[in-house]
Amino acid sequence: MKFFNIGFIACLLATTFQTSILYGNNCSSATSISLGGCQTIAFDAVCDFSPASQIACTSPVCQGDAWFEFVPGGTNASQFDVQFDISVDVANTINVVLIYSESVELGDPCEWPSGAEGYTRHGSVCTEVVSAGVPFDFTVRGMDGSGTFFLLVERVTGTGGNVTVCPTLLGNCPAPSNDRCSNAQPLTSGSGIDPNAATGPAIPNWNDALKSTNACATKQRLTDFCSLFTAGTPTEDHYTRKLPGVCYHNGNIGDNIFPGGVQCDEYLENTVYYSFQVPVSANDWYLHLGSTSQCTQQPNNLMVTILSSMDCADADLSVRMECTKTAVFGGIPSADWSSSAMNLNSSNTYYIVIDGTRQSQCDFCLLLGRGPANPVLPVEFLSFQGFQQETGHLLEWTTKTEDGISSFTVERSLDSETFETIGSINSLGSIDQGLDYQFLDESAPVGGSYYRITTLDINGVESSSEIIYLERVLPGPQLFRLYPNPASDQLHLFLGIPEQASASFSLTDMWGRTVHQEMRQLHSGNQEQVLDVNTFARGLYILRIRIGKEVLTKKILLN
């Protein structure tokens, strides 16, 4: 799931209230930009972005700015990845800040109740040195398709000049159907819940965790009881709480009970929902959150909220058990966070809400078990790689720990799903240092094969390494790998030829026009060739590599 966050509007539902333009800024005069278009405006002589808690870049001091308003044009059920090409006609050092408006419901995206911050910083880059006429690419992931954003370009050096902004859509990610409050994804035995927990306390294993790739998330529109003009209608995904005459937009499912409560995090935006039932009632249940990598967007934080009941229409009716903000280290087998002991009843349905803070986008694993210690893997692989040789595929792997492991089983697959055992190697022992292993697959078939290493510990728990792919080349020239595809800058081609030869590389567009052709001298054996494609128009092409009488072809997409 991709995560991103917005701040919350504080408003006062009293007899009278005041509104004000955003701290005197020129948001209301921002120039509108749209996908596929460009706009050019001059830098102002003053700087208008002032709320201290939202200032992204503090030094050097801003000398002037330019405001652009941007609406992706989709729905709240989709995310947009957008690249903003920003260029100036006078060399400068600039700050770039993307602001998400919180006040669209009030009728004016630049207007909020007095004293409140009605927007959130969605992304920023500080002190970027730009040359005249040379675009700077500012890429933002996970933008709400229906949101209103302001791109603020601040000039911090140089004098005057114009700035041009051109937004381009890199991708649109529709959210999964179960990424909704009313349709939470269930955790099941072996996929989020330790299957051994029903028999008693035990240290759970990460192999039984639910693994989230976080490929996409969405903003959940919920009923808003705080909007001054549209109370009780679906709006931003703030969970709100109500008091007589007072309504807090920053009150949400992460808040403690008012009065005197402390928020779990002020930028909580609930976008990922899970439900579960435990197989046995007990007071020693724990939720563990782990990760295999850090968040792709910073800050490196996730929010985790556990509830004993959840009302999708009104968070005031939900009952929260625990809430925390945790950093994501990517350090499995150590957990990034573990809950306190929970008394859970097998007859009740519980809920977990997870979100990133301020645009964090993270992979993570969720695991419920009856063990307070960090879940463990019996073996930790430091590396696993393979090499093509004349005699077959040579597999090499290195372990860090091998607690209770007697042997390694080598498995091969032709489709990455169905694996067969092709051999095994005994473990060298259980020590806390790297151990190296090799296995030669002399029967590797011609073409592509997938490999993994599996282990079985003394408790009968199975674990597996990552899957790697190797290609065995036929006699004659072979193009056995090409990446990335789609490509934007360079294509990396992995070729295998039996002897030295000249090769013709050509690109043909879908109208049959040859847009590029060159000759290269190839040496014998496997090799990598790099083809620059950054000057070609976006679209679908046919790559042809002619080596003697042989022609290798591949469709590629340039973006």
Side-chain angles (χ1 to χ4, degrees):
M1 295 288 178
K2 287 182 179 177
F3 297 97
F4 48 96
N5 301 274
I6 58 182
F8 303 97
I9 308 171
C11 60
L12 180 64
L13 294 185
T15 305
T16 61
F17 60 90
Q18 296 178 336
T19 61
S20 63
I21 301 303
L22 174 62
Y23 298 94
N25 65 44
N26 59 357
C27 164
S28 59
S29 61
T31 297
S32 178
I33 52 175
S34 58
L35 289 172
C38 299
Q39 291 286 357
T40 301
I41 59 176
F43 281 109
D44 282 351
V46 295
C47 297
D48 304 293
F49 189 43
S50 63
S53 66
Q54 289 290 324
I55 288 178
C57 311
T58 58
S59 179
V61 177
C62 174
Q63 303 295 317
D65 60 20
W67 287 71
F68 298 85
E69 182 177 2
F70 174 67
V71 177
T75 69
N76 70 288
S78 61
Q79 287 184 6
F80 282 68
D81 295 342
V82 177
Q83 175 178 297
F84 295 92
D85 291 330
I86 303 170
S87 58
V88 297
D89 59 3
V90 177
N92 273 299
T93 298
I94 61 174
N95 299 330
V96 181
V97 184
L98 187 71
I99 304 166
Y100 183 89
S101 170
E102 295 282 4
S103 59
V104 177
E105 290 80 23
L106 301 183
D108 181 354
C110 296
E111 187 175 19
W112 294 273
S114 178
E117 295 175 13
Y119 57 89
T120 294
R121 186 177 75 245
H122 197 68
S124 59
V125 174
C126 298
T127 59
E128 180 70 28
V129 179
V130 289
S131 302
V134 180
F136 161 63
D137 293 339
F138 176 59
T139 299
V140 182
R141 307 287 179 179
M143 299 178 69
D144 172 20
S146 63
T148 297
F149 297 84
F150 291 95
L151 185 74
L152 170 61
V153 183
E154 296 181 333
R155 176 178 58 81
V156 297
T157 63
T159 57
N162 299 319
V163 58
T164 300
V165 175
C166 307
T168 303
L169 180 64
L170 299 180
N172 180 9
C173 185
S177 60
N178 59 6
D179 185 17
R180 315 298 291 175
C181 177
S182 59
N183 189 22
Q185 180 175 351
L187 305 183
T188 59
S189 177
S191 182
I193 301 178
D194 178 11
N196 299 314
T199 59
I203 297 178
N205 189 285
W206 282 118
N207 291 321
D208 300 316
L210 182 139
K211 299 176 178 62
S212 171
T213 60
N214 296 337
C216 185
T218 187
K219 291 182 56 177
Q220 171 77 57
R221 294 291 199 233
L222 296 177
T223 301
D224 181 6
F225 294 94
C226 280
S227 286
L228 298 177
F229 308 123
T230 56
T233 62
T235 177
E236 303 297 342
D237 62 341
H238 306 147
Y239 283 93
T240 60
R241 62 188 176 201
K242 304 178 293 297
L243 291 172
V246 180
C247 193
Y248 286 83
H249 259 284
N250 65 348
N252 53 59
I253 209 167
D255 273 327
N256 288 325
I257 298 174
F258 190 87
V262 178
Q263 260 184 300
C264 188
D265 185 79
E266 60 181 322
Y267 298 107
L268 181 63
E269 178 183 77
N270 301 312
T271 55
V272 186
Y273 300 84
Y274 299 97
S275 64
F276 67 91
Q277 287 184 304
V278 294
V280 62
S281 298
N283 61 3
D284 56 359
W285 283 97
Y286 294 82
L287 174 66
H288 304 282
L289 182 140
S291 56
T292 56
S293 61
Q294 292 192 5
C295 307
T296 58
Q297 297 288 338
Q298 299 300 311
N300 189 38
N301 296 325
L302 282 182
M303 298 294 307
V304 186
T305 306
I306 308 172
L307 304 103
S308 59
S309 66
M310 184 165 63
D311 191 299
C312 296
D314 185 354
D316 292 348
L317 304 179
S318 299
V319 179
R320 194 188 75 192
M321 299 174 62
E322 189 163 350
C323 182
T324 190
K325 178 174 71 173
T326 180
V328 178
F329 300 107
I332 283 180
S334 295
D336 294 322
W337 172 80
S338 295
S339 71
S340 56
M342 297 182 292
N343 188 359
L344 304 182
N345 193 305
S346 61
S347 63
N348 189 51
T349 298
Y350 299 88
Y351 299 88
I352 302 170
V353 181
I354 293 187
D355 183 34
T357 59
R358 288 180 179 266
Q359 206 185 358
S360 295
Q361 303 165 8
C362 313
D363 293 341
F364 61 85
C365 301
L366 284 180
L367 180 58
L368 279 158
R370 294 177 63 190
N374 278 339
V376 297
L377 286 173
V379 60
E380 182 178 355
F381 290 91
L382 291 178
S383 66
F384 177 37
Q385 55 188 341
F387 306 92
Q388 178 181 305
Q389 298 188 344
E390 289 185 6
T391 54
H393 288 159
L394 178 64
L395 306 177
E396 296 182 347
W397 64 95
T398 300
T399 64
K400 182 178 180 181
T401 58
E402 300 175 17
D403 296 334
I405 297 300
S406 60
S407 63
F408 297 89
T409 300
V410 183
E411 298 180 328
R412 183 180 64 209
S413 171
L414 299 180
D415 58 6
S416 77
E417 295 182 0
T418 303
F419 284 84
E420 62 174 345
T421 299
I422 58 173
S424 64
I425 290 182
N426 291 332
S427 170
L428 296 177
S430 178
I431 58 177
D432 292 329
Q433 65 182 27
L435 297 173
D436 299 321
Y437 297 87
Q438 284 189 341
F439 180 87
L440 179 63
D441 181 12
E442 297 180 296
S443 61
V446 171
S449 296
Y450 299 86
Y451 293 91
R452 72 182 183 189
I453 308 298
T454 64
T455 62
L456 191 68
D457 70 9
I458 57 177
N459 296 317
V461 177
E462 183 180 277
S463 60
S464 299
S465 71
E466 64 176 317
I467 297 173
I468 63 172
Y469 176 79
L470 293 174
E471 187 90 16
R472 195 165 192 181
V473 178
L474 287 164
Q478 295 289 316
L479 173 60
F480 52 85
R481 189 183 177 201
L482 178 151
Y483 83 90
N485 192 7
S488 56
D489 295 319
Q490 291 183 328
L491 275 173
H492 295 259
L493 314 173
F494 291 84
L495 301 165
I497 60 174
E499 58 186 14
Q500 180 178 333
S502 296
S504 170
F505 292 74
S506 65
L507 278 179
T508 304
D509 64 20
M510 297 310 295
W511 289 271
R513 298 174 299 192
T514 299
V515 299
H516 176 75
Q517 188 167 2
E518 66 175 288
M519 295 294 298
R520 296 189 181 187
Q521 191 70 23
L522 306 182
H523 61 77
S524 62
N526 297 333
Q527 59 205 277
E528 178 183 6
Q529 296 289 324
V530 179
L531 183 63
D532 292 324
V533 295
N534 57 342
T535 60
F536 304 125
R538 299 173 181 177
L540 190 63
Y541 292 83
I542 301 296
L543 170 66
R544 290 184 174 86
I545 305 173
R546 184 180 295 275
I547 306 173
K549 296 182 180 180
E550 301 287 341
V551 179
L552 310 176
T553 62
K554 184 72 174 180
K555 288 184 180 180
I556 62 172
L557 179 64
L558 303 185
N559 60 14

